Amino acid sequence: MPIDYRSIQQVIQSNLPSIAKIRKQDSEVAHLVVQEFITDLVEFLNVGKIMNASQTNQTSIYILKYFPHFNLADLKLFFDKMKLGHYGKFYDSVDGQLILSRMEEYSQDRMNEYEQLRLAKHREEIKENPIGEGYHPDVIAAIKKAIGEKKAPEIEKVERIKTEGEVFTQRCIRQFDNLHSKFGIKNTSGRFLKLGDKVLGFTEFLERKFLNKKS
């Protein structure tokens, strides 16, 4: 895979397979690929409080579950942006919740860019053939001559509807942040909540919410 993806537009136009397709062909390979990106980021940041193997594993599971539309170029660009501080600085720790929340930001940027590319393509198609298909070539020529070179109409931007998984993940992230401000455990390697006699990291919290949602 080329290593010079520097924009979301390049990523979208790369035509690389999505991680959902890779997972369908070989789930273990997909899992290992995502884990490798996470491990590489953690090693690069060199913060005091890092992710253990279990946290890395859980985070990769949620990435595969809630961001299946990402392709390999998406992962490369996203984690490069994380290293460059595009989504903020890392001070003393990095965890799954932080990675997933930043990935949600990237996903929103990607959706916006995809919509812009789609609209640009649609405007170009209208410009090339403003009267549509299905007419005899002579009729098309006559109509074009009659209407002249009119500017293609502006297409109103339609906001993409988020998937149920994306909405659920965003809601869980907000809930975890709110709870952490009240019940967060300080001086720990990562972000944890103490709810009664239970201590939950974000991945355990997300899994618990998911199980409650299913029941």
Side-chain angles (χ1 to χ4, degrees), residues 34-47 50-51 78-85 90 94-95 98-99 102-103:
V34 177
Q35 280 188 319
E36 180 61 30
F37 276 108
I38 297 171
T39 301
D40 179 65
L41 172 68
V42 173
E43 291 177 351
F44 176 86
L45 295 176
N46 194 30
V47 293
I50 62 175
M51 298 170 65
F78 168 73
F79 282 102
D80 280 351
K81 284 177 174 287
M82 291 282 279
K83 292 177 181 178
L84 292 169
F90 299 88
V94 59
D95 58 24
L98 189 148
I99 291 174
R102 300 300 186 271
M103 189 165 280

Side-chain angles (χ1 to χ4, degrees), residues 119-133 140 144 147-155:
L119 292 175
K121 181 180 179 181
H122 186 59
R123 284 193 291 267
E124 188 64 27
E125 290 173 349
I126 292 177
K127 183 178 179 181
E128 292 294 325
N129 189 11
I131 61 176
E133 303 291 341
I140 294 176
K144 284 184 176 180
I147 65 176
E149 294 296 329
K150 290 187 177 181
K151 184 179 179 181
E154 292 292 329
I155 307 299

Side-chain angles (χ1 to χ4, degrees), residues 75-150:
L75 295 178
K76 181 69 172 63
L77 180 60
F78 168 73
F79 282 102
D80 280 351
K81 284 177 174 287
M82 291 282 279
K83 292 177 181 178
L84 292 169
H86 183 85
Y87 296 107
K89 294 183 178 180
F90 299 88
Y91 293 97
D92 193 41
S93 66
V94 59
D95 58 24
Q97 189 269 342
L98 189 148
I99 291 174
L100 291 169
S101 63
R102 300 300 186 271
M103 189 165 280
E104 180 59 39
E105 291 182 39
Y106 173 87
S107 182
Q108 186 61 54
D109 291 341
R110 190 188 198 280
M111 286 187 281
N112 293 338
E113 182 65 27
Y114 179 84
E115 185 65 16
Q116 290 300 317
L117 291 173
R118 187 188 69 80
L119 292 175
K121 181 180 179 181
H122 186 59
R123 284 193 291 267
E124 188 64 27
E125 290 173 349
I126 292 177
K127 183 178 179 181
E128 292 294 325
N129 189 11
I131 61 176
E133 303 291 341
Y135 294 93
H136 188 279
D138 292 341
V139 176
I140 294 176
I143 295 176
K144 284 184 176 180
K145 183 177 180 181
I147 65 176
E149 294 296 329
K150 290 187 177 181

Side-chain angles (χ1 to χ4, degrees), residues 1-19 22 33 37 69-81 106 110:
M1 182 179 71
I3 61 174
D4 58 348
Y5 290 105
R6 298 185 180 182
S7 71
I8 294 178
Q9 180 177 344
Q10 288 179 311
V11 165
I12 294 172
Q13 296 173 338
S14 68
N15 294 320
L16 289 173
S18 68
I19 55 178
I22 297 174
V33 166
F37 276 108
H69 55 292
F70 283 9
N71 61 34
L72 295 177
D74 278 304
L75 295 178
K76 181 69 172 63
L77 180 60
F78 168 73
F79 282 102
D80 280 351
K81 284 177 174 287
Y106 173 87
R110 190 188 198 280

